[in-house]
Amino acid sequence: MHITLCLTDTKPEPWLAGLQAAWPEATLSVWQPGAPPADYAVVWAPPQQFLDEQAGLQALFNIGAGVDALLQKRIAPGTLVVRLDDAGMSVQMAEFVTHAVIRHFRELDGYQADVAQGRWSYRKPRSRAACQVGVLGLGVLGERVARALQVFEFPVRGFSRSPKQIEGVACYSGAMDGAGLHDFLDGLQVLICLLPLTPETENILNHENLSRLAPGAHVINVARGAHLVEADLLALLDSGQLSGATLDVFRTEPLPAGHPFWQHPKITVTPHTSARTLREESIAQIVGKMHALQRGEPIAGVVDPTRGY
């Protein structure tokens, strides 16, 4: 069994050593142009040349949950594209998003600003029951976030393209421009975007949809930068319709110097760090799926190219 690695901007040596330890009998290599064909590949942002030369791969394993960039490339029809299901990312995402929600709900940014000016302030406690939190996208990460928020007794809604049932969560579903989405958005105090990026979901965080949120709502985007229409968010923040935003993903990364998000007083910027790939957990999952494929068994995480996730 030959496994090749093509990891752009990522050191391959730790992955190579980990994969070899997990599957000692396998032959592993770091791809170079003109290399012999492999059976499986572990990739991150591979060039088109790699995909063209390795057209006989049984499966491509992407070392991240998002595959939107990979699906923009030409991939041989017989090659499975497999994303990570979790690999330690869901608990990271849950803690990051829960922190952002609580920071908004408890008005900790306001307290911090007061303390910076030497003011001892008091703010009236908000009604938790009135703080409707919506999770846009109920995949592995979105469901984990929704369950984490329930621990703090926030009323939680969820939206997905296909119907889902999660105990304690008011679930909505349907098209990205349909009544189900509108009903989900109406009156939310916090909106969390965890959608995959597809042509259908690009620019979903636009003026029309964000205007459906409750006055003073907070927006959290931890999915992809292209979900957000940046000018629409800035306009709604500056008008006071939205009270703030927590943004971990951006159309251009790193966020360019001089971008208005850097200095905006109502925006918290983090450098795409809400949920990082954990190498050991990822290797265990990838090798387990390779073994399952060898046995002819179905595996989770296979991407449907027609849906984009």
Side-chain angles (χ1 to χ4, degrees):
M1 185 56 54
H2 183 190
I3 304 169
T4 187
L5 284 76
C6 185
L7 305 175
T8 303
D9 298 327
T10 300
K11 291 182 179 180
E13 292 81 8
W15 287 87
L16 197 68
L19 286 162
Q20 191 71 79
W23 198 349
E25 300 80 13
T27 299
L28 284 102
S29 64
V30 177
W31 177 78
Q32 298 292 335
D39 300 293
Y40 296 122
V42 178
V43 303
W44 180 252
Q48 187 61 53
Q49 182 181 358
F50 168 82
L51 298 170
D52 292 341
E53 290 187 6
Q54 296 288 328
L57 289 167
Q58 295 178 43
L60 281 168
F61 290 85
N62 194 56
I63 62 167
V67 294
D68 45 283
L70 183 58
L71 292 181
Q72 293 174 13
K73 306 288 181 70
R74 294 187 307 276
I75 299 173
T79 300
L80 294 179
V81 177
V82 186
R83 57 173 172 76
L84 292 176
D85 303 320
D86 186 335
M89 287 186 285
S90 68
V91 67
Q92 296 178 69
M93 187 64 79
E95 68 188 5
F96 182 95
V97 171
T98 300
H99 173 272
V101 171
I102 292 173
R103 189 170 184 85
H104 163 70
F105 178 68
R106 296 294 299 272
E107 299 185 82
L108 296 181
D109 285 332
Y111 282 115
Q112 184 175 343
D114 289 346
V115 168
Q117 298 186 30
R119 289 201 301 266
W120 185 274
S121 60
Y122 175 78
R123 295 164 189 267
K124 182 180 179 181
R126 293 175 167 179
S127 167
R128 191 177 306 270
C131 186
Q132 290 279 340
V133 181
V135 181
L136 184 56
L138 291 175
V140 172
L141 301 183
E143 182 171 345
R144 182 63 179 271
V145 166
R147 293 188 186 280
L149 290 166
Q150 287 181 286
V151 173
F152 294 93
E153 300 180 12
F154 290 107
V156 181
R157 300 179 194 170
F159 180 89
S160 56
R161 177 170 161 173
S162 303
K164 294 276 182 77
Q165 288 187 339
I166 303 172
E167 186 176 355
V169 176
C171 294
Y172 300 75
S173 62
M176 290 299 160
D177 57 356
L181 177 66
H182 298 164
D183 291 343
F184 162 78
L185 293 170
D186 285 346
L188 286 176
Q189 289 284 348
V190 181
L191 173 64
I192 302 152
C193 183
L194 272 163
L195 289 168
L197 181 61
T198 68
E200 192 179 25
T201 66
E202 186 173 358
N203 299 323
I204 194 73
L205 302 180
N206 55 41
H207 192 281
E208 178 185 355
N209 286 332
L210 295 179
S211 295
R212 293 180 176 277
L213 308 181
H218 191 93
V219 175
I220 301 170
N221 189 15
V222 286
R224 286 290 186 266
H227 286 127
L228 176 66
V229 180
E230 296 180 349
D232 290 358
L233 175 68
L234 289 168
L236 290 167
L237 289 170
D238 292 343
S239 72
Q241 173 66 23
L242 297 177
S243 66
T246 299
L247 305 178
D248 186 56
V249 290
F250 307 92
R251 288 181 178 268
T252 301
E253 295 182 1
L255 187 64
H259 193 286
F261 286 172
W262 280 117
Q263 300 298 326
H264 199 288
K266 296 182 179 180
I267 295 177
T268 298
V269 168
T270 52
H272 202 147
T273 192
S274 56
R276 304 290 294 274
T277 300
L278 301 180
R279 189 171 57 248
E280 291 183 4
E281 288 87 342
S282 299
I283 288 171
Q285 183 182 130
I286 289 169
V287 171
K289 289 183 177 183
M290 289 178 178
H291 284 313
L293 288 174
Q294 288 297 103
R295 295 190 297 266
E297 298 171 359
I299 61 172
V302 176
V303 174
D304 181 349
T306 64
R307 300 179 71 173
Y309 58 92

